Amino acid sequence: MNEVLQVAFQTAPDPKEQWIQLFPEGTFYGEDGRGPYVMKDPHAVIARSIRAKTDLSIDRDHQFLLSAPGTVIPAAGWIKEFQVRGEQIWARVEWTEYAVYQLTAKEYRYFSPEFVHDKVTGEILKIKGGSLTNKPNFELAAVASQQPHIKEQKMDEHLKKLISVLGLAATVTTEQLVAAAIARMEKADKIEADFAAVCKAAGLDVKATAAEVVKKDEELAAASQKKPETGTKNPDPSEYVPMKTFQETAAQLKTLQDDLKKERAEAAVAAAMKDGKITPGQKDWALSYATSEPEKFKEYLEKAPVIASASSTATRQTADGQASKLTDEEAQVASQLGLTEEQFLGKKDEGKKAA
């Protein structure tokens, strides 16, 4: 846990990298009156925008679009990664050295996206790149004003990761976050101290694994059942602990380890559900998998696609504000059939009676 806190509070990011806002969320208009534009599905927009081997470029004052074909236009930066925040699309940009100077000196302050949209509905379909400008058409966070605070932005990402690891709500205060981190560290330190005591009592190295401790426990238990051979010396009491004490400490250690595994599994599953990679119907399976095979569960999440939006993983409500009794799959079927929740449940009960 110390290492996590060090990453969160000490990492110094590359000054050439920066997260910038590409679009507002929802429905919006340009300063020139054009619109409305609609950000309907930011994940789909990102999927259509990513090129396999080519980064999207950022120029200045839309020179790529306005200059004659064949004109050499130096890039100001390159889009390396996309991210959805709420319903907004943000991008991690790698600026050129000269662009960093221009932004720091505030020769340029704003970003203007270049994109493809549906001419009828106004829906944003694809991102083509963008440009630094001093006359933006959309109301976005000023790039130059963010430049002196790159470290704080990067820090914010690490703090979000720390909040997720600790299984805390996104609304947690700084004081609550620090208190939770300290409590977890103290608990981890106690587990380490208890484990070291058990190892010492068993005559093992403090770096021994839990399996080695259990094996030693079984060997000592078996040895205690044997009668001492004639002529053997009495053991030195200072070198041993009572078997009962040893077993109680080992049991306490196992309980602490199990609790820690459960907490980590619950935090991992909660984060996965928030990201839309686990549905409510998969929660029990995911908890079991994350508890028994945490590393494999982590590998699964890294490869798993987003299968549910934040709205689909949240608790659904009926028209009267009550929590829905339908699963995700049942709600989709009811919607396709044009049935209300009560009608669907009635049909479901009729089917059970008929069976």
Side-chain angles (χ1 to χ4, degrees):
M1 188 58 65
N2 285 319
E3 294 178 356
V4 176
L5 288 176
Q6 288 171 2
V7 169
F9 295 106
Q10 296 180 11
T11 299
D14 185 343
K16 293 182 182 179
E17 290 191 358
Q18 181 181 12
W19 283 95
I20 67 172
Q21 183 186 11
L22 300 192
F23 293 97
E25 62 183 21
T27 301
F28 50 93
Y29 290 81
E31 180 67 21
D32 59 6
R34 286 181 293 174
Y37 300 102
V38 182
M39 180 55 67
K40 185 176 181 181
D41 188 345
H43 290 285
V45 173
I46 290 175
R48 288 190 288 263
S49 304
I50 294 175
R51 298 181 61 178
K53 298 182 180 180
T54 306
D55 295 333
L56 300 184
S57 62
I58 298 176
D59 63 353
R60 301 169 179 81
D61 297 314
H62 296 290
Q63 292 174 314
F64 284 133
L65 296 178
L66 302 178
S67 300
T71 303
V72 177
I73 308 297
W78 303 91
I79 295 177
K80 310 295 290 187
E81 180 183 355
F82 291 104
Q83 189 178 87
V84 177
R85 301 183 182 180
E87 293 300 319
Q88 299 176 1
I89 295 180
W90 287 63
R92 179 170 63 85
V93 175
E94 185 178 281
W95 299 113
T96 63
E97 291 186 4
Y98 186 50
V100 171
Y101 164 77
Q102 290 181 304
L103 290 168
T104 303
K106 293 190 177 181
E107 291 184 2
Y108 282 98
R109 293 199 63 197
Y110 303 102
F111 175 81
S112 178
E114 295 170 5
F115 57 94
V116 177
H117 70 286
D118 188 299
K119 296 296 190 292
V120 177
T121 65
E123 180 182 354
I124 305 296
L125 300 176
K126 180 179 179 181
I127 302 167
K128 298 182 67 176
S131 187
L132 289 175
T133 182
N134 288 325
K135 294 183 178 180
N137 196 31
F138 296 154
E139 292 296 326
L140 302 173
V143 177
S145 66
Q146 299 176 48
Q147 195 67 20
H149 306 291
I150 293 178
K151 183 174 182 179
E152 285 76 6
Q153 292 178 16
K154 201 79 172 183
M155 193 84 72
D156 183 56
E157 293 302 311
H158 289 304
L159 290 177
K160 287 180 180 178
K161 184 176 181 180
L162 181 59
I163 289 171
S164 176
V165 169
L166 293 174
L168 302 175
T171 55
V172 65
T173 64
T174 303
E175 292 76 11
Q176 292 170 331
L177 174 60
V178 172
I182 292 174
R184 180 66 66 86
M185 290 170 60
E186 291 176 346
K187 187 173 183 179
D189 289 342
K190 186 177 185 304
I191 290 175
E192 291 180 2
D194 289 343
F195 188 72
V198 171
C199 291
K200 182 178 180 181
L204 297 172
D205 187 275
V206 292
K207 296 182 180 180
T209 64
E212 291 172 335
V213 172
V214 172
K215 182 179 179 182
K216 188 67 174 181
D217 179 28
E218 294 173 346
E219 292 175 353
L220 291 174
S224 67
Q225 302 300 320
K226 295 181 180 181
K227 294 181 179 180
E229 297 179 3
T230 304
T232 56
K233 296 181 179 179
N234 291 327
D236 183 353
S238 66
E239 296 181 357
Y240 298 91
V241 295
M243 178 57 64
K244 183 178 179 180
T245 302
F246 175 81
Q247 292 174 338
E248 288 177 350
T249 305
Q252 291 174 357
L253 174 61
K254 186 176 185 306
T255 299
L256 289 171
Q257 290 176 324
D258 291 343
D259 289 345
L260 187 57
K261 281 185 179 180
K262 183 178 178 182
E263 288 182 12
R264 288 175 175 172
E266 290 175 347
V269 172
M273 292 181 67
K274 183 178 179 182
D275 293 340
K277 293 193 173 186
I278 297 295
T279 66
Q282 296 176 302
K283 183 177 180 180
D284 291 341
W285 164 83
L287 282 172
S288 176
Y289 193 11
T291 302
S292 61
E293 299 285 352
E295 292 302 321
K296 291 184 178 180
F297 181 69
K298 181 180 178 181
E299 293 176 2
Y300 166 79
L301 291 180
E302 290 174 351
K303 299 176 182 178
V306 175
I307 57 177
S309 65
S311 61
S312 68
T313 57
T315 302
R316 292 185 303 280
Q317 293 185 337
T318 58
D320 59 1
Q322 299 298 316
S324 173
K325 298 178 181 179
L326 302 183
T327 65
D328 290 348
E329 294 76 9
E330 289 174 339
Q332 293 176 3
V333 172
S335 176
Q336 293 172 0
L337 295 177
L339 299 176
T340 64
E341 177 173 328
E342 292 75 14
Q343 292 172 333
F344 183 87
L345 290 173
K347 296 284 186 182
K348 185 177 180 181
D349 290 338
E350 291 175 4
K352 288 182 178 179
K353 293 177 181 179

